[in-house]
Amino acid sequence: MLKKGTKLYSILTGSCPKCHEESMYENTNPYAISQIFNMNERCSHCGTKYKIEPSFFYGAMYVSYAVGIAFAVAAFVIAFLFFGASLVNTFFAIVGTMIVFMPVIIRLSRNIWVNFFFKYDPNAASHKHTVAKG
């Protein structure tokens, strides 16, 4: 299910959306909070520039809203429906979930956003070398 060549692979691993060979991030750990937004400028394998234009990742804020809602709904279902927690405790479970998973939500949102604009190309790395020679 999670194999190279799928958007899901690139989104969940944070790899280059074009060649899937390298992480887009300087530090792959989203919980390294001081480095959460530090991205490589280009993929070293295929040369894809991740930040297409200035302020490109502002669009990821819209995606993060939807991803955050998905995490909040999951927390609600688990706390309230599965464990039978009170509404107050369910609220705290949702807030706790949002705080704990904030770095993951940020990274997932960026990964989803950048994958809207790029398509997987298994030959992308070879195109880089062709372009560089030409």
Side-chain angles (χ1 to χ4, degrees):
M1 180 177 158
L2 189 63
K3 62 180 187 170
K4 277 188 182 178
T6 64
K7 293 271 186 198
L8 192 59
Y9 178 84
S10 177
I11 290 167
L12 294 179
T13 62
S15 61
C16 173
K18 198 162 191 179
C19 71
H20 295 188
E21 293 295 327
E22 165 182 277
S23 175
M24 293 186 290
Y25 301 97
E26 291 175 4
N27 186 338
T28 57
N29 180 2
Y31 289 97
I33 301 297
S34 65
Q35 300 173 13
I36 194 167
F37 296 110
N38 296 355
M39 297 181 72
N40 298 316
E41 187 176 328
R42 294 182 178 273
C43 176
S44 66
H45 291 275
C46 68
T48 298
K49 185 176 179 183
Y50 301 127
K51 193 175 180 181
I52 298 172
E53 60 187 25
S55 305
F56 172 69
F57 284 102
Y58 282 170
M61 290 187 302
Y62 298 103
V63 176
S64 73
Y65 180 76
V67 174
I69 294 297
F71 273 76
V73 167
F76 172 80
V77 168
I78 292 168
F80 190 73
L81 299 179
F82 286 158
F83 291 118
S86 69
L87 284 178
V88 171
N89 288 338
T90 300
F91 172 77
F92 288 124
I94 292 169
V95 171
T97 298
M98 298 304 287
I99 291 169
V100 169
F101 286 103
M102 180 262 315
V104 174
I105 292 169
I106 289 171
R107 287 279 178 98
L108 278 175
S109 301
R110 283 181 160 231
N111 298 349
I112 292 168
W113 182 250
V114 78
N115 270 277
F116 282 141
F117 299 93
F118 293 99
K119 183 178 176 188
Y120 175 69
D121 180 3
N123 301 315
S126 63
H127 292 318
K128 176 188 174 197
H129 299 298
T130 306
V131 172
K133 290 178 185 175

